[in-house]
Structures are given as C-alpha cells and as structure tokens.
Amino acid sequence: MLGTLAVHDGTADRPIRGPKARTLLAVLLLNADRPVSLDRLVDALWGEHAPATAEASLRNLVARLRKSLADEDGTRLRATPAGYRLVVAEEEELDTRRFEAAIRRARAAHEAGDLPAVLAGTAAALDLWRGEPLADLPEAAGGAAGGGAACEQWRESRLQALEWRFDAELRLGRPHALIPELTRLVGEHPLREAFHAQLIRALRATGDRARALAVHQRLRTALVEELGVEPGPAVREAHRLLLAEQPEPEPAAVTAVEQVVVAETVVAERPRPAQLPSPAAHFVGRQEQLEALRRALLAGSDRAAVAVVSGMAGVGKSALAVRCADGLRAEFPDGQLFLNLRGATPGLAPLTAHAALTALLLGLGTAPGAIPEEAGGAAALLRTALAGTRTLLVLDDAADPAQVRPLLPATPGCAVLVTGRAPMHTLDHALHLRLDALSERDSIALVERTAGRSTADRSVVAIEQADLARLVRLCGRLPLALRIAGARLAARRTLPVRGLVGRLEEPADRLDELELDDLSIRQSLALTHDSLRASTRRPDLRAADALAAIGTIDLPDYSAPLLAAVLRITPAQAGAALDRLVEVALLDEPRPDRYAPHDLVRDYARELVPDPEARAGYVQAALEWYRVLFFQVSFVLDPSVQQNSGLPPVDTAGPLGDDEALAVGDAEFDNLLALIEQLSAAPWATTDEVSPLVRVLLPYLRVRQRTESFRMYELVYRLALRDGDRATQVFALNGMAHARYLSGRNLLALELIDQCLLLADDPRLYRRMLSNRGLLLCDLGRVEEAARCLAEALDLDVQAGDQHGEAMTLSALGNLVEAEDPHRALAHHRRSVKIGQRCGFGYSVTVGFTNMGFAHLRLDDPAEALRHFFLATEVYSSAAPRDAHLEGWRGRAEALRRLGRPKEALALVHDLLAWTSSRRNNVSTGMIEHTHGLILRDLGRPAEARAVWESTLSRFGSADHKVVGELRELLAAG
C-alpha cells in the first residue's frame, strides 16, 4: 500500500482490476482483521450517490475480489453480520505493517543512541516506500474507511525516519552526501524545522556558512510571517553554533534605549519583593495539582518556567496559585511578585500591558521616572531587571495570553504562575493545568472548616454525612460556593445543614442563597457573560447568545448542530461559539463535540431569557431539529418509518449508515427524553406535540435496548390519559410492553398488552395487540393460549385483507408449532414468505427464511438450515432492517456447529458479539451467548462454556424469558 496498490502471492502478481474492486480491497486492508460494515464499504465505493442496488453490487465485487485473491471459499475475505473482514494472518503480508515495525526499531535505536541500528532501521523502512500511499486510490485513502488518517501517519513516519537517518549521518561525521537531499526536502517542507536545522548543521560542517545563514533567514521569515512564531530550540542551537564562529558583536549593537535603561536601573542593592498574599485559611485537597505545578516551576531549562492554571469562576485558581507560590519562597530567593491582572474583576477593566509592567517594575524597585512610557521599552526593562535572578511571578486573573506575554522573563531561573478563566494554550512551553471541582470528600472538609463545625462536634450540632454530601452536590463542589455555604452555616450556628440543603434544592433560588457579603456566584458568572455580550467580536456575541439558548432548552448536553438550529446560524459558527464558552470556562467539553455547563452555570443560564415567547421559540426550534434528526436516524434503520410515523416527510438524504445513525441516536436520545419530560409537564402541551416525536423513535428503539424508553412511553401514556386519547394510550402501553419484553420480563409485558386490548378501538390496532399477545404467550410456553390468540388474529387479518399482519401472524404460528410439528411450521413460514414477496413486505421475507432455517434444525437437517439462513442474511438481507438478520446469523452459527465446523461457528459468533455489544439488546445477546457456550463445549472447552452461560444468566437477573430456563438446564446438566 506504500505506493500504488499491488498484490503479490509470493510467486506472481495478482492484478486487481477495476477502480471499485481496488477501492474495496484498500478499505479492507486499511481495516485488516477488523469487521468493516456494509455502510462504510458502500460509502467508500459510492459516497453520497450510492444506488439502490449498492449492497447487491457490493456482493458481486466481493465475489470478484475473492476470485482475484484465489479465495473462492471465503477463508481470507470473510462475511460478518455487519459486513466483511479481510484476514491478514502474518505481519509480513502487509508492507505497511513491516514499515511500522521498522519505524519502531529505528525509534528505539534513536532513543538509545545506537547510530548503526538507526541507519539499519530507517533503511528497512524507507526501502519499502514506493511513493504516495494508495496513490491510485485517493477516495479510499481519504474516505469513510479512515484511510486518510493512516496515510498521513505513514507520511509523517517516513519524514521522521529521514530525520533520524540524517541525524545519525551527521553525528557520524558524514555531512557532504546529505546536502542535496536536505536541500530538496526543505523546499518541499518549508516550515519543517528539523530538516532546516540539519541542513544548517551540514552546511556548517562543510564550511558553507553563507548558505547556512541564508537557510536560517528563510526559515525564520517564513515562520514569523505565516505562523507568527520564532524558530524552535533545534534551529536556534544550530544558528548559535554557526554564529559562535563569528566575532562577537560590537558594543554599539546594543540599542540606545537599553543603554539608558541599564544606566537608570543600577541600584546599590536590588530589593527582594515579597508580595504574595496570605494563603487561604481553609485550603483543602489539590495535592496532585500542587505537585504538578511545583515540578513545572522548578524544572531546569533554557527559559523561564511558566505554568497556567485555568478554570471556571469560583473553582479556586487563585487559592491554589498562592498556596503553591507560598511553598516555593525558598526556591526563589530574589523575591516573589504578585499582580492581579483584573481579567474578571467586577467593576474594573483588565490591566493594560503598560500598567501591568509598571506595577511589576515598581515592585522590583525601579524608580517611576525610569520606566519607559511605551510598553515595548517597559517590557525590555522588566526582562533586564529579572535577568540572572531567581524571581517568582504570580500573575492572577489574566484576561488572555496577549495580556501575559509582555510580562514574561526571557532567561532561565525565573518562574511565572498564571491564573485565568481561559486556558491560554497559545502560551508556548508552559504547563497548562485545567482546574476542576473538588472531590466530594474535600468539598465536605472545606464546608466543615469554613463553618467551624465538625461531624465529631456533637455538642454544637449534629451534622449528618448524607446532608453534607447533598449540600456539596448542590454547590457543584465549587470552592467559592462551598465557602459561601460554610459561611452561612458559621453565621447561623443553629442552622442545620438540612435546612440549608432545603433552601438550595430549588434551582430558581439557588443562586440567591449563594450570595454573602462580597461573595457571589451569580456576579462571578455574570462578569464573564457580560464581557461576551459587550464585545464587538461576532464569536463572542454568538457565545453569549448560545449560553442563553442553553439555559432555555435546558438539556443534559449540547452539540453545535443543535445550537445552530436554535440560534439560526451555521454549525461552524455554533461550534466556534461553544468553543468560546469553553475557553472562558462557562462550559466543559466532557466528550468530543459535546458540551455541558457546570450545574451552577446552568442555574445562571436559566435566568438569561425571561421572555416566555422567546423561550418558546428556542424550545420549538430544538424540537423541530430533533424531529428531523431522529426521522433521518430511523429512516436509515427502517425506511418504512416514512409511512408509519404520522409526521410530515423530511429530507432523508445524508451520509448516515447504520452505525452512524445509531451513534447519532445514542448521543441525542437523553436530550430528546429531557425535552419530552419538559413537554409532558407543560399544561399547554398535548399528545399531538409529544406522540409523533416518540413514534419516529421506534426503529431506533427496536435496535437499542434503552431502559429509559419505558419512562418515555410512560410520560406519553400519562399525557394521553389526561387528554382522553385512547389510541395514544394503546401506543404508549404497547411501547412500555416492548421495553419490558426486551429486558426479558414477559409477564409484565403481557399485563400491559392486556390493557392495550381493552382500550384498542381501531380494528387494525386490535389485531396488532392480539398478535403481540400471542407472541408473548408463546415465549412464556403457554402454547394453547398462544394458539387461540394467534388463530383469532389470523382470522381477523384475513378478513381485513391485512397482508402484513397475516404474514407476521403466520410466522408467529410457525414458531409456536415448531417444537411439535416442524413440517407444519415450515408450511406456515412458506406462506408468510410468499405473502411478504407478493406485497413487498421484506421484513416477513427475511424473518420467514430465518424461521425455516430453525425448523430444519429441528428436523436435524443442518445443511438445509444453513441454506435458508444464507438466504435470510445475504440474498434477501436488503429487504429488511439490519437487526432483523440477527437471528439468521445466530442460526448460521448453530448450523455450522451441527455440521461439525465449530471453528467457523466460533469465529462467526465472535463477530456477532462484537456487533451486538453496541446494540444493548440483552435478549439477543443472551441468545447468541447460549450458542457461544454450545460451540465452546463442542470444542472441548467446557469450563469456558460454563463461564459464558453463568455470566449471561447473571445479566438476565429475574427475567422470565425462555432462554433463562434453557441456560439453567445447561448449567444443571454440567
């Protein structure tokens, strides 16, 4: 793959003809030994314009590729439940794996200083490089398979190998041969400093100092103009060595300003400032952070040490910085400077650079008249005054990196500790420490110390640990809030903790309670929000609007697309606004591209939009976005949702495949549930607003076993009960029953279905509930009741001409009689398949062939069973949602086991479990584990089989699904 894609079998080339086949092979190789879903393969081959026949065309491509690879039996290119997996048995079979192994050897040799081994390792790696990876397949290299990242990593590894080789050659004293290649590489990579440093060293070693200086100048100009940075340490060192061979600069090279500065700042004795405030009296925890800061500030290097502590308002940044600095006084004998930069001080503007420089210089004993009037001169004077000293600077409450940069010393020995709400990652060569809330234990200790109370001090008041734990959670474990709570308890010695907890329980009053004297959570948060609102920068204004929207729709977390819809801006603009809120510590990013506020920030944000009409507008925009999003998710999983949801159609075009759709649903389900909770509690909301939103979720919920879905249906039921909407009551009760069924609790599900039958006025709805009741009775082993129920449902389906219902009821009848009469079961299933084919009901076709497979297993004909399972999972697989094939794949594994092919069966089961582990379907996974144990037992691994069954049984708990009884019988049999 390191070049144009080529295949060789050890004797001769094996041409892979056609761009689609080559792309397919590339995607599979990029994911070698891992299953690749059909969706990803289709996306890599056709992109957004995949034809309706894409999956069928893909299977033809797979057959052609197997032939080209002499793999007609599918031993190497294997089908999996979700797609295909290409088996690469040996590391040597892929040039990329050999390349990566050689790079690892070269890296180890480079770190050990073994120059001959470096040359051997890099030569082995570079000899494999035939050109741009997958040069003839740009789409596969950068498409849905993730090949773009792999190719970029290989390119970077090649450049790294070149750097190691050049370094070894230079250290061995062989510079001449490197100059042409390095000259070419610095032209190709004009900002890669390592190649420039090596070319400067090579030219210096050969005596060509003029060219070496020109190389340095070109690099420095490019870095300053394009990136705004100076060259790094390696280039600076190469330049220093180059200049060391020149005469020292004349004294005239020193600027006139610096001469005046030096002259005016000479004093008989330099003062030793000691400006640190007293450490907080009730400081708790943070030992790990204190140690990290101490190590960073004392680390020896060629520059001043810098550490930045960032975090939200009230998290304890200043207290941590002062405690750390106080413990380092002895390490900085020339003094400690402390300056509040007022980046977020109520009523005060942040210090300007000149004002900050003036304050620091005065602290160092500089005469006021000697301080230059412009910031550049003052900064130079500060660097001169600090040169050669060991001085610690604490710059508290910085607004941004631009405010801090002029204040930094330029020479080693000094250290700077910065605090601020923004993380300031553009300050180079600094430790960046993001401060989070305290642990619960430390939070309780802080409240107790501030309040002057202790759990052991029973003579004052009984403080229960449970009340304290609740109190600190309501304070968000934020030190400022905890100090206020503790001070309230100290001010009222008889106020029990439980009483303060009661006041804080109500979100609308919480921020009022967390104000005392000059301490206020609301004021601290408002300062940051107001600064965004007053800014002239559009990203800041959008960030302020985003916080208001976040407080209004009030969800567990947020994404850029959601906020874009609510604020009617682009996703990129919404993403920038959310990032800005993270920078100013009003939001956290707990997961990539997901944002959530601290609980107290959430309380503050709820206050930002008091107008009911504006709030309703935000909520309606969020609901519409979720309606469209989950319609798209469900359409991917089951296109019939277009007809069944009862919602107006939406654009279903998009790049989502099954896995992507499920990932989107997983990320947003809790948010949608929170919105439904809000709607169900609103007196103006009706089932017309809520029920359609839930209906559109059905395909997603058929795949995902979400315990929260029971709560969602329960909310809909209560709303429908209030409105007297019987049809929606049936819908909700049926959903609750389905949730119970998926968790293996069939008796509870049956009770809910019986309620549905009493309420169902619509004949079609009644038939569905009757059929569902028969299925549950069948699973419970109540055969006679199930037979009567399903026979009645079948009669009603036939009378009504409901072919879909007829097909599914026949399928259920076949399953019911399978144990006693497999031939009769086959007759039912064949009728179900024919009806499904006639009316275009693909689901019944797939399920019918699967059920026929199990009937043939009952007849002890595993070969014929395997043929039917193959029809269900591959030939007719596109006729039904992907999860409908799950039982067919499990049947294939069972048929392979009975045919004496347990290793193939085990590999298939492992693929199935890998696929279902993300589906959260307890029942389906339990059935597969049942088969898994049988295969392990056949392979002579009874202990492993027993462990699998015991683990599966423990997950079911008190469930009454039929698989529970079967597992117990297997375990009892030993």
Side-chain angles (χ1 to χ4, degrees):
M1 291 193 285
L2 299 177
T4 57
L5 184 64
V7 179
H8 195 279
D9 66 2
T11 304
D13 289 333
R14 285 201 166 272
I16 308 299
R17 306 193 189 283
K20 286 282 192 291
R22 293 172 66 78
T23 298
L24 173 61
L25 177 59
V27 174
L28 292 167
L29 285 171
L30 285 164
N31 297 274
D33 296 319
R34 299 195 304 268
V36 185
S37 71
L38 295 180
D39 293 328
R40 292 178 68 189
L41 293 172
V42 168
D43 185 49
L45 291 166
W46 288 281
E48 297 181 4
H49 307 291
T53 59
E55 289 195 10
S57 299
L58 174 59
R59 289 188 175 84
N60 290 334
L61 280 172
V62 168
R64 284 171 47 198
L65 184 56
R66 282 172 172 164
K67 185 174 181 181
S68 299
L69 298 175
D71 182 47
E72 287 84 351
D73 60 353
T75 301
R76 182 179 287 275
L77 178 46
R78 299 177 182 175
T80 72
Y84 292 95
R85 173 162 56 97
L86 186 64
V87 177
V88 178
E90 300 176 11
E91 294 293 313
E92 293 295 310
E93 288 190 313
L94 277 182
D95 61 347
T96 54
R97 291 184 176 178
R98 292 164 59 196
F99 174 78
E100 289 163 356
I103 291 292
R104 288 194 294 271
R105 293 196 300 273
R107 178 181 290 107
H110 174 74
E111 292 171 353
D114 187 346
L115 302 184
V118 170
L119 294 176
T122 55
L126 296 171
D127 286 348
L128 291 166
W129 194 268
R130 296 179 293 111
E132 185 68 16
L134 299 174
D136 55 334
L137 293 169
E139 291 184 6
C151 293
E152 184 59 35
Q153 181 179 338
W154 295 328
R155 294 187 199 101
E156 180 58 32
S157 293
R158 171 180 171 265
L159 295 177
Q160 186 67 71
L162 287 168
E163 289 179 16
W164 293 333
R165 179 169 74 83
F166 296 148
D167 182 68
E169 294 281 11
L170 287 168
R171 290 169 67 185
L172 290 169
R174 303 198 288 252
H176 292 81
L178 306 181
I179 292 174
E181 191 172 1
L182 279 168
T183 301
R184 175 179 60 80
L185 286 168
V186 297
E188 294 175 359
H189 306 278
L191 299 179
R192 195 173 184 94
E193 296 189 35
F195 289 152
H196 287 77
Q198 290 170 331
L199 180 55
I200 293 169
R201 290 167 59 194
L203 291 168
R204 171 176 168 269
T206 58
D208 197 344
R209 294 170 57 250
R211 279 183 64 194
L213 286 169
V215 170
H216 177 269
Q217 185 59 42
R218 282 196 302 272
L219 172 65
R220 184 178 182 278
T221 300
L223 288 172
V224 171
E225 291 181 353
E226 295 188 31
L227 303 180
V229 299
E230 292 286 343
V235 175
R236 292 204 303 271
E237 177 62 13
H239 188 232
R240 185 189 69 77
L241 293 173
L242 191 63
L243 294 179
E245 299 177 11
Q246 295 179 325
E248 289 294 321
E250 294 296 325
V254 180
T255 67
V257 170
E258 287 176 330
Q259 290 176 354
V260 172
V261 164
V262 172
E264 292 187 351
T265 55
V266 173
V267 292
E269 182 179 352
R270 182 191 303 273
R272 295 181 180 179
Q275 297 181 347
L276 295 178
S278 298
H282 306 302
F283 186 89
V284 297
R286 308 292 198 198
Q287 294 307 309
E288 184 179 340
Q289 291 86 351
L290 283 169
E291 183 57 31
L293 290 173
R294 179 182 176 84
R295 287 197 304 268
L297 295 173
L298 296 180
S301 69
D302 60 350
R303 60 177 60 83
V306 180
V308 179
V309 180
S310 62
M312 70 175 292
V315 80
K317 303 179 292 295
S318 299
L320 176 67
V322 171
R323 174 57 63 101
C324 176
D326 186 67
L328 293 175
R329 290 178 186 270
E331 305 292 340
F332 295 94
D334 293 312
Q336 306 86 39
L337 293 164
F338 181 89
L339 182 61
N340 183 351
L341 295 175
R342 302 196 315 221
T345 302
L348 296 175
L351 288 183
T352 64
H354 190 269
L357 288 162
T358 298
L360 293 173
L361 286 167
L362 291 174
L364 290 170
T366 307
I371 299 174
E373 294 183 359
E374 49 89 22
L381 178 55
L382 179 64
R383 291 192 294 271
T384 301
L386 293 173
T389 73
R390 288 192 60 78
T391 305
L392 175 63
L393 285 74
V394 178
L395 305 177
D396 189 41
D397 195 17
D400 52 45
Q403 189 186 30
V404 172
R405 282 196 188 93
L407 315 181
L408 299 180
T411 54
C414 292
V416 184
L417 179 51
V418 185
T419 75
R421 299 188 183 185
M424 292 180 271
H425 285 296
T426 54
L427 287 180
D428 296 331
H429 310 295
L431 168 72
H432 294 277
L433 183 65
R434 184 78 169 185
L435 204 58
D436 295 320
L438 290 170
S439 68
E440 182 174 295
R441 179 179 178 181
D442 289 337
S443 297
I444 290 174
L446 179 56
V447 171
E448 288 182 328
R449 294 182 188 181
T450 307
R453 302 182 185 184
S454 168
T455 52
D457 187 9
R458 301 296 176 181
S459 63
V460 178
V461 66
I463 302 178
E464 298 178 3
Q465 282 293 318
D467 292 334
L468 276 172
R470 179 61 181 158
L471 175 68
V472 300
R473 283 196 290 272
L474 289 169
C475 291
R477 296 183 284 111
L478 196 67
L480 176 58
L482 296 169
R483 284 177 57 204
I484 294 171
R488 282 195 173 281
L489 292 171
R492 291 190 57 193
R493 304 293 296 174
T494 59
L495 176 65
V497 175
R498 185 169 300 175
L500 185 54
V501 167
R503 295 181 181 187
L504 295 174
E505 290 277 6
E506 179 53 52
D509 299 333
R510 191 174 300 139
L511 294 183
D512 293 333
E513 293 294 330
L514 292 176
E515 289 188 0
L516 187 65
D517 296 333
D518 62 337
L519 301 180
S520 168
I521 294 292
R522 180 186 282 110
Q523 187 180 50
S524 296
L525 296 172
L527 186 69
T528 304
H529 179 254
D530 291 346
S531 68
L532 293 172
R533 180 65 67 199
S535 173
T536 58
R537 298 178 64 250
R538 282 186 293 180
D540 287 351
L541 295 172
R542 292 191 188 110
D545 290 341
L547 188 65
I550 284 169
T552 301
I553 56 180
D554 202 11
L555 301 178
D557 62 15
Y558 305 85
S559 67
L562 168 61
L563 265 297
V566 171
L567 297 174
R568 292 176 172 79
I569 56 179
T570 68
Q573 291 169 343
L578 289 166
D579 288 342
R580 185 73 180 112
L581 289 173
V582 172
E583 289 171 7
V584 297
L586 289 173
L587 287 185
D588 288 322
E589 190 178 6
R591 304 189 308 280
D593 301 323
R594 306 297 300 186
Y595 302 83
H598 184 279
D599 286 346
L600 296 180
V601 175
R602 192 183 294 277
D603 292 335
Y604 172 76
R606 290 190 186 109
E607 303 175 350
L608 295 177
V609 184
D611 179 45
E613 187 174 339
R615 296 180 67 86
Y618 280 147
V619 172
Q620 289 297 331
L623 286 170
E624 176 61 17
W625 185 79
Y626 276 112
R627 181 182 79 84
V628 173
L629 178 75
F630 271 96
F631 198 108
Q632 292 171 334
V633 166
S634 294
F635 186 84
V636 170
L637 301 173
D638 182 5
S640 68
V641 72
Q642 186 83 55
Q643 293 81 36
N644 299 335
S645 67
L647 287 170
V650 299
D651 180 13
T652 53
L656 291 179
D658 275 17
D659 291 338
E660 292 84 358
L662 290 170
V664 169
D666 294 343
E668 299 292 351
F669 179 81
D670 289 339
N671 279 353
L672 184 57
L673 180 57
L675 276 177
I676 291 171
E677 289 249 23
Q678 291 181 39
L679 276 178
S680 66
W684 49 266
T686 67
T687 53
D688 291 339
E689 281 90 18
V690 179
S691 174
L693 282 167
V694 178
R695 291 178 192 276
V696 84
L697 285 170
L698 293 181
Y700 168 77
L701 293 175
R702 279 199 296 266
V703 177
R704 288 289 197 243
Q705 182 184 342
R706 303 288 307 228
T707 55
E708 306 95 325
S709 68
F710 186 87
R711 171 63 178 161
M712 183 182 65
Y713 288 119
E714 189 178 37
L715 291 168
V716 176
Y717 175 70
R718 290 179 182 177
L719 198 57
L721 196 63
R722 187 198 71 186
D723 293 349
D725 186 340
R726 290 170 67 94
T728 303
Q729 289 176 48
V730 173
F731 163 75
L733 288 167
N734 184 53
M736 293 161 69
H738 185 66
R740 294 302 191 207
Y741 168 76
L742 286 177
S743 62
R745 287 163 173 77
N746 290 343
L747 284 172
L748 293 175
L750 185 62
E751 291 176 9
L752 292 163
I753 290 295
D754 286 342
Q755 292 183 54
C756 290
L757 286 167
L758 293 173
L759 290 167
D761 295 329
D762 180 76
R764 183 173 181 274
L765 203 55
Y766 182 83
R767 295 195 304 273
R768 273 186 58 205
M769 296 306 105
L770 200 60
S771 182
N772 288 348
R773 188 174 193 275
L775 289 169
L776 285 169
L777 289 168
C778 180
D779 272 0
L780 287 166
R782 292 157 62 173
V783 178
E784 292 183 4
E785 290 179 76
R788 288 195 299 270
C789 196
L790 291 172
E792 181 184 352
L794 183 62
D795 287 341
L796 293 173
D797 287 331
V798 172
Q799 291 172 24
D802 183 355
Q803 295 186 80
H804 285 208
E806 183 181 355
M808 294 310 298
T809 306
L810 283 167
S811 181
L813 278 168
N815 289 336
L816 182 66
V817 302
E818 179 190 298
E820 295 181 359
D821 191 347
H823 291 288
R824 186 179 168 202
L826 283 169
H828 285 312
H829 295 319
R830 289 192 188 100
R831 283 181 61 193
S832 176
V833 168
K834 286 180 181 179
I835 293 171
Q837 290 172 329
R838 185 168 64 245
C839 69
F841 186 27
Y843 184 84
S844 72
V845 175
T846 300
V847 170
F849 279 119
T850 297
N851 288 338
M852 281 192 270
F854 281 108
H856 282 292
L857 285 179
R858 183 76 67 173
L859 291 167
D860 199 20
D861 189 354
E864 188 62 18
L866 187 61
R867 186 178 73 83
H868 282 84
F869 290 133
F870 180 84
L871 289 171
T873 57
E874 297 207 33
V875 176
Y876 291 98
S877 60
S878 60
R882 187 73 48 78
D883 282 73
H885 313 152
L886 198 56
E887 274 294 274
W889 283 102
R890 186 179 72 85
R892 284 180 73 166
E894 177 62 17
L896 288 169
R897 180 184 79 84
R898 297 195 192 186
L899 286 168
R901 294 155 64 180
K903 291 184 178 179
E904 292 177 65
L906 186 62
L908 181 55
V909 161
H910 285 165
D911 287 341
L912 269 175
L913 290 172
W915 189 55
T916 58
S917 63
S918 65
R919 262 57 182 173
R920 306 179 190 175
N921 190 316
N922 197 35
V923 171
S924 296
T925 304
M927 297 292 286
I928 296 164
E929 290 285 24
H930 177 282
T931 303
H932 185 198
L934 293 175
I935 296 168
L936 290 170
R937 187 184 64 183
D938 289 355
L939 286 167
R941 295 152 63 179
E944 293 177 58
R946 187 174 186 84
V948 165
W949 291 331
E950 288 174 344
S951 173
T952 304
L953 195 58
S954 68
R955 288 203 306 273
F956 272 101
S958 60
D960 49 28
H961 192 274
K962 63 180 181 181
V963 74
V964 173
E966 294 174 5
L967 288 168
R968 286 176 177 152
E969 289 176 9
L970 286 166
L971 289 167

